[in-house]
Amino acid sequence: MAEKLMKYADAVKQFDPVFGLETHVELSTNTKLFCPAHIEFGGEPNSQLTPVSLGLPGSLPVINETAVDYAIKLGLALHCEIAEWSQFARKNYFYPDMPRDYQISQYDKPTNGNGYLDVELEDGTVFRVQIERAHIEDDAGKNTHVGGADGRIEGADHSLVDYNRAGVPLIEIVTKPIEGAGERAPEIAGAYMRAIRDIVRALNISHARMEQGNMRADVNVSLRPMGSKEFGTRSETKNVNSFRGIEKTMQYEIRRQAAILADGGEILQETRHWDEATQTTAGGRVKSDADDYRYFPDPDLVMLHITKDRIDRIAKEMPEMPRERRNRLQQEWQFSDLEMRDVINADALDTIEATVSAGASAAGAKKWWLGELSREANAKGVSLEELDITPEDVAEVEKLIADGKLNDKLAKQTVAGVLAGEGRPADVVKAHGYQVVSDDGALVAAVDEAFAANPDVVEKLKSGNMKPMGAIIGAVMRATKGQADAKAVTKIVMEKLH
């Protein structure tokens, strides 16, 4: 039965949303957190295992040093306090996809704590999100439920377990309760997650591909009456793996909880699941508190000691952060705020920067990637990076235009050839004989023919009405099979008119 919902606008007028995000970021190390098992997305099920990742008796964990360095990098980027001494604990719970049936995580002594991230919204508003901790832990495996609807456990005949992901290093970034967001709470949540994605990619510590599960979030939402300081009971929607899904989850939970509270009901503290097909959340189990997990220090792992010298060394290697980089590039490229937002929304910043580095102008690079190529990517359902054309190819096409060897039409045909797998731009141009006709004699003859075929247009042009100019240029283009230089044609036409 469909749950009762209140209109979103009415819900945020009556109630104050408070939310928190627990973001799980898989680290892109070569091996797992506590064993040398190789990590590869999409590998043969249960092929990336060692006695440690299987939890076999007598096997002992050994910390992955690279994962610790990645955690320090992220802590610095999130303005966290990095603990000199941190500790791993066993988190005991029923984990059907964790061979040893407990997770190795950090509890009361995390590596990173008490940080913040300034999130910039589309209208330029900056909202500060306080971060409680960013701790290290290993991931669970993956269950595949067979026989149920949409891969859900409800109604499934049986389940398959792939332990390849068990033991993959994670950073879990836990925000403090986020207050004061009001009706913009879903927007802020989405912007925060995008900022985290951009940071971990800039640090080169995670692929952050949400569709592959490299990055996902648990979304905590509660409501309280306007003016109240006491937090309401929260729900926690688990493992949402898209930016849009996170925003929609928050909107749905605010509407659902508002309807219950307005009718005098109580919110159940529970885990829920986001259903992309129905755009709804569904109840899961009653939410456990920290005490229920029976944390205790892992006896097989000594405390983690991070020296100031190590932190200082890593701090010197930190790259430029995404927000500062965007501001710098916007200034260098002389893009307006709207133009830069278009670039960010299209996830084209890296691609355009690479195209500019290859020799194209910023305006030219933006024109291609946000125009023809963006439409092509949307039609194929892929990202810009997955198209069969490189920033170097686009820069080469731009140079051919600048050198007068291609016009816009021929350039589009050249790009289409590259996308079709016909080779690099020079190969496509050579194979099809694409070349701008710039010979004055040929162009003059074509203009004369256009004048003779369109005497009424010529009379209008002679009288000073330039609107029909396109008819003459179009006729010349047809005569030259689209290979005429439009600027040269216009110059010849104007000379003949005067």
Side-chain angles (χ1 to χ4, degrees):
M1 185 175 70
E3 293 180 294
K4 184 177 179 180
L5 303 175
M6 182 182 288
K7 289 183 178 180
Y8 185 78
D10 294 337
V12 294
K13 282 181 181 177
Q14 294 184 43
F15 299 98
D16 179 22
V18 178
F19 70 98
L21 296 167
E22 300 169 24
T23 307
H24 301 260
V25 178
E26 279 188 3
L27 302 180
S28 55
T29 54
N30 293 323
T31 56
K32 294 184 178 181
L33 185 56
F34 297 114
C35 75
H38 179 66
I39 299 171
E40 180 184 0
F41 178 80
E44 187 70 22
N46 296 311
S47 61
Q48 300 163 25
L49 303 173
T50 68
V52 175
S53 55
L54 282 172
L56 297 181
S59 60
L60 294 173
V62 178
I63 189 69
N64 185 324
E65 186 177 7
T66 301
V68 175
D69 285 347
Y70 284 3
I72 295 170
K73 283 185 177 182
L74 185 55
L76 291 170
L78 298 178
H79 309 95
C80 288
E81 298 170 2
I82 300 173
E84 182 180 0
W85 294 95
S86 52
Q87 188 173 52
F88 288 98
R90 293 186 179 182
K91 181 180 179 183
N92 293 272
Y93 193 71
F94 175 62
Y95 288 102
D97 46 7
M98 183 69 85
R100 57 177 178 261
D101 205 28
Y102 63 83
Q103 182 183 36
I104 300 178
S105 183
Q106 292 180 328
Y107 176 45
D108 57 342
K109 296 180 178 66
T111 298
N112 302 309
N114 197 29
Y116 67 88
L117 179 61
D118 288 331
V119 177
E120 187 170 349
L121 306 181
E122 281 201 11
D123 64 0
T125 301
V126 176
F127 190 96
R128 176 163 291 188
V129 175
Q130 300 288 345
I131 292 169
E132 181 176 317
R133 55 200 282 135
H135 62 264
I136 310 170
E137 62 185 21
D138 61 354
D139 205 353
K142 182 180 179 181
N143 291 319
T144 301
H145 306 297
V146 182
D150 300 322
R152 301 291 296 276
I153 193 170
E154 292 82 6
D157 299 320
H158 61 282
S159 298
L160 303 175
V161 185
D162 180 5
Y163 289 130
N164 280 350
R165 198 173 66 184
V168 169
L170 282 179
I171 301 290
E172 182 176 347
I173 308 163
V174 182
T175 69
K176 294 180 180 180
I178 301 169
E179 305 177 65
E183 65 180 358
R184 303 189 76 173
E187 179 189 359
I188 290 168
Y192 167 82
M193 289 297 295
R194 290 181 178 90
I196 292 291
R197 187 271 311 269
D198 292 345
I199 286 172
V200 298
R201 284 186 176 178
L203 295 173
N204 197 28
I205 65 173
S206 175
H207 301 304
R209 297 287 295 270
M210 297 189 78
E211 72 279 7
Q212 293 182 2
N214 299 146
M215 181 173 158
R216 53 195 188 271
D218 299 339
V219 183
N220 296 270
V221 179
S222 68
L223 298 182
R224 61 188 177 190
M226 284 296 181
S228 173
K229 297 297 182 184
E230 185 177 347
F231 292 156
T233 302
R234 63 187 172 90
S235 66
E236 180 182 5
T237 306
K238 304 288 287 185
N239 294 324
V240 187
N241 66 345
S242 73
F243 300 126
R244 191 68 175 162
I246 287 166
E247 295 170 1
K248 290 291 187 180
T249 292
M250 290 194 61
Q251 290 173 2
Y252 184 87
E253 277 301 290
I254 289 170
R255 296 178 64 195
R256 182 186 72 84
Q257 293 184 27
I260 293 173
L261 294 173
D263 286 344
E266 294 183 355
I267 304 301
L268 179 66
Q269 183 170 323
E270 63 178 345
T271 63
R272 297 180 70 85
H273 302 281
W274 171 249
D275 189 324
E276 186 66 36
T278 62
Q279 299 281 289
T280 63
T281 65
R285 60 176 172 83
V286 175
K287 175 60 181 171
S288 303
D289 291 317
D291 292 344
D292 299 318
Y293 292 119
R294 304 187 310 282
Y295 285 99
F296 65 87
D298 193 305
D300 292 332
L301 289 163
V302 299
M303 290 191 73
L304 183 61
H305 184 212
I306 299 175
T307 64
K308 185 177 183 302
D309 288 344
R310 191 181 198 93
I311 296 171
D312 291 343
R313 173 180 61 78
I314 291 174
K316 291 177 182 177
E317 300 169 355
M318 292 285 285
E320 185 179 29
M321 287 295 95
R323 188 178 172 203
E324 288 73 21
R325 175 185 170 221
R326 286 196 297 270
N327 292 339
R328 174 180 58 80
L329 290 175
Q330 181 176 353
Q331 188 173 14
E332 289 179 4
W333 296 345
Q334 298 183 338
F335 283 0
S336 67
D337 290 345
L338 179 59
E339 288 175 317
M340 201 63 179
R341 264 201 307 275
D342 289 343
V343 170
I344 300 302
N345 291 339
D347 200 14
L349 188 70
D350 292 344
T351 312
I352 290 176
E353 185 181 26
T355 308
V356 173
S357 296
S361 67
K366 181 174 74 69
K367 178 194 74 175
W368 283 108
W369 290 109
L370 268 60
E372 295 287 325
L373 297 174
S374 182
R375 287 189 288 273
E376 180 76 12
N378 289 336
K380 291 182 176 179
V382 299
S383 68
L384 291 174
E385 295 174 347
E386 294 174 291
L387 289 175
D388 292 328
I389 190 167
T390 66
E392 290 74 20
D393 291 334
V394 174
E396 185 179 342
V397 170
E398 276 288 287
K399 187 175 187 305
L400 291 170
I401 294 173
D403 291 344
K405 296 179 179 179
L406 293 180
N407 55 27
D408 284 346
K409 180 179 179 180
L410 295 176
K412 289 178 181 178
Q413 292 173 338
T414 300
V415 166
V418 174
L419 290 169
E422 297 177 12
R424 305 279 63 85
D427 301 326
V428 176
V429 168
K430 183 177 180 180
H432 292 273
Y434 295 150
Q435 185 177 359
V436 169
V437 176
S438 55
D439 176 65
D440 282 352
L443 293 180
V444 167
V447 170
D448 287 340
E449 290 180 10
F451 273 27
N454 300 276
D456 54 332
V457 172
V458 174
E459 289 303 316
K460 291 179 182 178
L461 293 174
K462 286 181 178 180
S463 67
N465 181 4
M466 293 291 111
K467 290 182 179 180
M469 175 70 81
I472 299 297
I473 294 176
V476 174
M477 287 295 182
R478 287 191 293 275
T480 59
K481 298 181 180 179
Q483 296 184 218
D485 182 342
K487 291 182 179 179
V489 173
T490 302
K491 181 180 177 183
I492 293 170
V493 170
M494 296 304 295
E495 287 174 350
K496 285 187 170 291
L497 291 175
H498 299 292

